[in-house]
Amino acid sequence: MPNNQFMHPRNIYRKPPAFKELAVKYPEFNKYASVGLNGKIVFDFKNQDGLRLLTTILLKKDFDLDVDLPVGRLVPTIPLRLNYLLWIEDLFNLNYDNTKKIKGIDIGTGSSCIYPLLAAKQFQWSMVGTDINKEAVKNAIKNVEKNNLQNLIQVLEVSEWERLLPVAVDEHYDFCMCNPPFHSFSNLNSSDDEADSTIGITSEMYTMGGEVDFVRKMIKESEILQNSISIYTTMVGYKASLDPLKNELKAIGACTIAEAGFYQGRNARWGIAWTFQPDIKLKDFLPNKEFQKEKLKIRPPVSFKISESYDSKTALTKLSELLDILKLSISVLKSKIDESVLYQADIQAYENTWTHQRRKRRMEKRLAGCKRQKTNDSGSHIVSDDERTDKNLDTTLNSKPLFVATLVLRKTDNTIVIDMLHLDGNRDNSHQVFQFLKNRFI
């Protein structure tokens, strides 16, 4: 799942489910899984029955939720739903302490009632879930009752032609959330992965005017309700929907607007939040942008595996010898956390000692074997071609290091690895030193 690194930091699915363990614990799972050539379990995410089973298994295993997902209805992707809820929790953490009792509305809760169930079970929030579909409401109520969460969750059937937000005059909610129908009826053949996870029920994925018109209706209602809901939020399926919706919010005088990116597997969704209360703080959650910023600062470390002929002791001895040859400035770092680290140090180079090493060694042998010094008739020393070359190879000391890097020798299982992370200076120089070490360990 390429985008797992962009999931919310507290999302438990940043580490994918262990399919091998699921196959052992839940025999019915094996019907939709197979063993790949590499020995790993491969799951068929395109099989709707299998996806429904996987979702119910994860809800039970990870949240102790027993959820019925009717055939023909949208199968909710749990990592995505969790990303959205965790962002809302972040917004609360900016404004409230953890003793505040949170109350929210889920617009279009669906037959699974997935958001209220997760919100109640995971965060102990009180939730009202609404839907226009009578059968969806019935099934949602069953799921609430099955999990004994009636004290925290209420499910309401609402009319498509009435308000999206059923808030009475004297009521107040801390937030609302919405997973709107993303697509317009003019785009019924959408290739969206989540659209593929439902069969025949178009109201969950399609609406007149698409998600922008749907959310605009929500925005108009928020302009009337104002502070009756502290934080308004919604998800959108198209990134292009964000700008027109933000323009709409600015036009009605929203105090603060924030946006989020929800990444899971190969899919991405976006969120938008707004408030009319000046004292409410909102914060963007855009992990892909933060990642790109960090990527510009520091690239991933380069690594190589050391020959199996080395053990921990001999590898450390060899590395010490090579570092002595390179005459680097070394600051050894003690790793108290990671026991796999055998050696870790920040290294700095102030002179180039790693290029033309073979020529330098050959010259040193030649000079060592020469017992008498060449002189001219006047007794002065004659500089040989080899000595001249040697002088040209030497680099004068610099006050500023040529490069700075972190060097790590570590052992994972039975494999010894050297990692080198460039921190500053000339990247080519640090790569040459990395290559120098790699060549001498082969």
Side-chain angles (χ1 to χ4, degrees):
M1 295 184 179
N3 285 333
N4 280 15
Q5 61 186 327
F6 298 149
M7 281 189 186
H8 193 284
R10 297 194 302 280
N11 195 320
I12 60 174
Y13 299 111
R14 282 175 69 94
K15 181 180 179 181
F19 289 153
K20 193 171 184 179
E21 293 178 11
L22 294 181
V24 173
K25 190 172 181 180
Y26 305 94
E28 63 272 28
F29 179 79
N30 290 304
K31 182 179 178 181
Y32 307 102
S34 58
V35 181
L37 295 176
N38 57 1
K40 294 184 178 180
I41 300 292
V42 179
F43 180 77
D44 181 10
F45 284 93
K46 293 294 183 181
N47 187 300
Q48 298 308 303
D49 293 333
L51 189 59
R52 190 176 299 103
L53 175 65
L54 174 62
T55 302
T56 55
I57 286 175
L58 293 179
L59 286 169
K60 185 63 179 176
K61 181 179 76 74
D62 297 328
F63 304 98
D64 194 26
L65 285 169
D66 187 4
V67 181
D68 176 41
L69 302 175
V71 175
R73 294 283 178 173
L74 183 67
V75 178
T77 50
I78 308 307
L80 169 60
R81 272 63 182 177
L82 204 53
N83 272 341
Y84 188 5
L85 287 167
L86 288 167
W87 178 50
I88 293 174
E89 185 187 36
D90 287 342
L91 300 181
F92 291 148
N93 290 339
L94 284 173
N95 296 282
Y96 312 124
D97 60 38
N98 56 14
T99 61
K100 179 175 172 56
K101 293 184 179 180
I102 301 297
K103 185 178 180 182
I105 301 175
D106 176 30
I107 303 170
T109 196
S111 57
S112 66
C113 198
I114 189 64
Y115 282 118
L117 288 174
L118 286 172
K121 194 75 173 182
Q122 189 76 355
F123 309 108
Q124 291 75 54
W125 298 343
S126 295
M127 296 293 296
V128 173
T130 71
D131 207 286
I132 62 172
N133 185 284
K134 190 180 293 292
E135 290 301 315
V137 170
K138 285 182 181 178
N139 203 82
I141 292 172
K142 287 181 181 177
N143 280 329
V144 172
E145 293 173 347
K146 191 185 293 188
N147 291 280
N148 296 313
L149 290 170
Q150 301 94 313
N151 62 321
L152 289 175
I153 301 173
Q154 180 185 9
V155 182
L156 300 176
E157 181 183 351
V158 296
S159 169
E160 185 176 0
W161 312 112
E162 294 178 1
R163 292 181 300 166
L164 293 172
L165 294 162
V167 182
V169 176
D170 58 344
E171 278 188 308
H172 177 267
Y173 290 86
D174 297 293
F175 77 103
C176 69
M177 65 188 307
C178 180
N179 186 12
F182 296 145
H183 313 295
S184 170
F185 279 114
S186 62
N187 191 26
L188 268 172
N189 293 322
S190 169
S191 60
D192 184 275
D193 287 348
E194 192 162 31
D196 292 340
S197 71
T198 183
I199 303 170
I201 303 299
T202 58
S203 63
E204 291 180 290
M205 296 300 297
Y206 297 87
T207 186
M208 293 298 295
E211 63 185 2
V212 172
D213 280 2
F214 189 96
V215 177
R216 275 180 178 150
K217 183 178 179 183
M218 185 177 166
I219 289 173
K220 288 177 182 177
E221 290 187 22
S222 75
E223 184 181 13
I224 298 169
L225 292 169
Q226 292 280 316
N227 296 343
S228 294
I229 298 177
S230 294
I231 302 174
Y232 297 84
T233 78
T234 184
M235 189 190 294
V236 292
Y238 295 100
K239 190 175 183 180
S241 299
L242 290 174
D243 284 343
L245 293 175
K246 286 193 288 186
N247 290 337
E248 195 96 11
L249 289 167
K250 290 173 185 176
I252 66 169
C255 288
T256 314
I257 304 168
E259 61 182 278
F262 307 126
Y263 299 88
Q264 49 285 317
R266 294 176 176 82
N267 293 332
R269 297 286 183 262
W270 292 268
I272 187 167
W274 67 98
T275 183
F276 295 97
Q277 296 179 221
D279 59 328
I280 291 289
K281 302 172 187 175
L282 300 181
K283 184 180 180 181
D284 291 340
F285 173 65
L286 300 168
N288 61 324
K289 287 189 178 180
E290 293 302 318
F291 176 81
Q292 292 300 330
K293 287 179 184 177
E294 292 301 316
K295 191 176 179 181
L296 291 174
K297 296 178 185 176
I298 299 178
R299 295 180 188 175
V302 288
S303 306
F304 69 89
K305 295 179 182 178
I306 292 177
S307 167
E308 294 180 357
S309 61
Y310 289 91
D311 58 21
S312 299
K313 185 176 181 180
T314 55
L316 185 57
T317 301
K318 178 71 172 180
L319 180 60
S320 298
E321 292 172 356
L322 294 175
L323 292 177
D324 286 342
I325 292 172
L326 291 171
K327 301 176 182 178
L328 300 171
S329 174
I330 299 171
S331 177
V332 178
L333 306 172
K334 301 292 184 182
S335 178
K336 297 180 180 180
I337 300 175
D338 194 348
E339 295 181 355
S340 67
V341 174
L342 305 174
Y343 177 85
Q344 182 174 350
D346 285 338
I347 58 174
Q348 300 181 55
Y350 288 88
E351 59 176 325
N352 186 333
T353 59
W354 52 87
T355 56
H356 305 293
Q357 281 286 324
R358 184 180 298 175
R359 190 186 303 178
K360 287 183 178 181
R361 288 196 301 273
R362 187 170 63 244
M363 187 188 319
E364 287 170 359
K365 288 181 181 179
R366 187 180 301 172
L367 292 174
C370 183
K371 298 295 182 182
R372 43 190 190 92
Q373 189 180 47
K374 295 180 181 179
T375 57
N376 58 10
D377 293 339
S378 62
S380 61
H381 177 62
I382 299 176
V383 179
S384 68
D385 289 339
D386 283 341
E387 287 172 292
R388 187 178 292 108
T389 302
D390 189 33
K391 286 185 178 181
N392 290 336
L393 288 174
D394 286 338
T395 306
T396 57
L397 293 178
N398 296 284
S399 57
K400 183 179 179 180
L402 300 176
F403 76 88
V404 181
T406 296
L407 189 68
V408 177
L409 179 71
R410 60 184 172 84
K411 184 174 182 180
T412 305
D413 296 328
N414 294 320
T415 304
I416 301 177
V417 177
I418 284 183
D419 302 315
M420 189 165 165
L421 176 66
H422 177 83
L423 298 176
D424 195 17
N426 189 303
R427 194 177 292 274
D428 289 338
N429 283 331
S430 89
H431 178 73
Q432 288 169 10
V433 168
F434 171 79
Q435 199 61 45
F436 173 90
L437 296 173
K438 183 176 180 181
N439 291 342
R440 278 150 186 79
F441 266 103
I442 295 177

